[in-house]
Amino acid sequence: MIDASSDGLPGDVLIVEDDAIIAMDFEDTVLRFGVKIVRTAGSVARALQLIEERAPDFALLDIGLLREKSFAVAERLEALGIPFAFISGYGADAALPAEFAHKPRLPKPCTSDAMRAMLRSAGRAAK
């Protein structure tokens, strides 16, 4: 399913982040890695719409969005077999439902190296 770039990164990444500045920073970072398409959503409804329009190869989900959690997006991605990771400023203290406890997680803020490693891992896992 992953249209991986030459260095093993997913070709289409969905970022679900409600803070516009953080979302733009993530988008810029991921594009610099060589990912071809990066789409962002600030809400569960918008993320689900983007997934319906075109399923991404990988998604990065902020756990706590404005007045909602991203777990409905995670459920949809899981149902479609699309790899994803959670990112949170709450670190390991962020509670995840049991079905997502095994999913990869990044702290917010995270280093570019950590984000690149996460994307490469998703690319390798999908091959």
Side-chain angles (χ1 to χ4, degrees), residues 1-2 51 55-59 73-84 103 122 125-126:
M1 179 185 296
I2 285 191
I51 293 166
D57 298 322
F58 180 79
V73 178
E75 289 170 0
R76 183 67 183 137
L77 294 167
E78 187 84 359
L80 294 171
I82 297 168
F84 62 92
K103 291 296 180 182

Side-chain angles (χ1 to χ4, degrees), residues 62-106:
D62 182 13
I63 294 172
L65 304 172
L66 193 61
R67 294 186 215 62
E68 60 187 345
K69 303 282 189 207
S70 63
F71 301 135
V73 178
E75 289 170 0
R76 183 67 183 137
L77 294 167
E78 187 84 359
L80 294 171
I82 297 168
F84 62 92
F86 290 106
I87 189 161
S88 176
Y90 300 110
D93 294 336
L96 293 176
E99 65 266 30
F100 302 128
H102 66 286
K103 291 296 180 182
R105 214 190 277 203
L106 286 171

